[in-house]
Amino acid sequence: MKIKKLENVNYKILNNFSVDFQDKNIIVLAGINGTGKTTVLDFISRKFDYSKNEKVKGNVYFQNNNSDIIEVEYDGSHSFILRNLTAIRNPIIRYSDANDPADKIFYIPAIENRNQELKSSIVKYLKFLIFKKRIPPLEAYQQFNDFLNNIFAGMELSISFKELDENEEVYFLNSFNQDVKLDDLSTGEKEILNKIFYFFIKRIENSIILIDEPELSLHPLWQNLVLNIYQKLATEYNNQIIIATHSPHIISSTPNDNLFILTKENNQIIAKNFNSYGKDINSVLLEIMGVQYLRDIEVATQINKVKNMIFENKFETEEFNREFDTLQKMLENDSIELGFIKLELLKRQKKHAQNQQN
């Protein structure tokens, strides 16, 4: 099942919020801080978590494999009511806590240590290969490594799986050929293992996976590739993955129909599709993330000050000389930007001299 749409959500900063995800298996939510990206994920998680003993206001509509639209509502007594809105007689199904939609929703917050769950899943997988499939340990280790490398192909991981010891401790080899426990891997390596590999090794299927800030601690190269891996997880295992992100790399690699930008309009959060696929990072930062300056603010301010003085023909003053000298020191590592400013200055000086002669 996939979440097709949310409707009339009233939760935290969301006020009568609605969004139609259509039939997408990858959804990326983006926007500036305070526009409710994480709140949307939190709402979906809370909506189907009756252990909190609360009814969260808002409608959630699912789409099943038959393209039926199904409304799911928690009835307040450890049971869910499913209404098939596209069926002729509008049948109602009641799911108890033994068989409910909550079992198919996984929420991974921005910061969460899942190392123990990941380790247990790896141990279980290796035991299955060795004891159930009767594969020799070294061959099982190689199969596990092949599985790992296939998932993260192109990401140039600096680790590889080594072995499982007699105490069921999981060991990897780092780029220095040193033995490293799972807990001692780099933060970025643990992030991709916990937020991506965990779902592959657990074979999470036919589920809805909510991921908050998957880019945390990831190098920009990995951020560029991570969405492709989530797409693989969605396609091969029939999952729907909903991501909340601040990463311009993830945003620019998201197909247009899969990206929803959350913005504030008239004191209300709204979601809009946005075409950003293939845009350069600077465009994403300016147009979507609301970034005012692409440089250090002091440097950007100095550039604007000097440019304005050039445009206003104030380049023959002592003040301009001081400001331009300051800028040249700031931009000593950016010859391109400095070159454009000098070119504009020479053009203005030449035009100014011609005007004086006439």
Side-chain angles (χ1 to χ4, degrees), residues 167-208:
N167 297 316
E168 296 190 346
E169 188 65 64
V170 175
Y171 283 92
F172 292 83
L173 281 178
N174 64 15
S175 57
F176 299 101
N177 212 35
Q178 299 169 326
D179 293 0
V180 183
K181 294 181 180 180
L182 178 61
D183 290 334
D184 296 327
L185 294 175
S186 73
T187 306
E189 289 162 344
K190 284 188 284 193
E191 280 292 311
I192 62 169
L193 292 177
N194 279 315
K195 288 186 176 178
I196 302 177
F197 188 62
Y198 169 81
F199 293 101
F200 281 97
I201 199 73
K202 286 276 289 185
R203 290 197 65 85
I204 302 299
E205 300 176 300
N206 307 311
S207 297
I208 296 164

Side-chain angles (χ1 to χ4, degrees), residues 339-352:
F340 282 132
I341 294 173
K342 286 181 177 180
L343 188 63
E344 182 63 30
L345 176 60
L346 288 172
K347 186 171 72 173
R348 296 274 177 161
Q349 287 174 331
K350 183 178 180 180
K351 184 177 180 180
H352 182 69

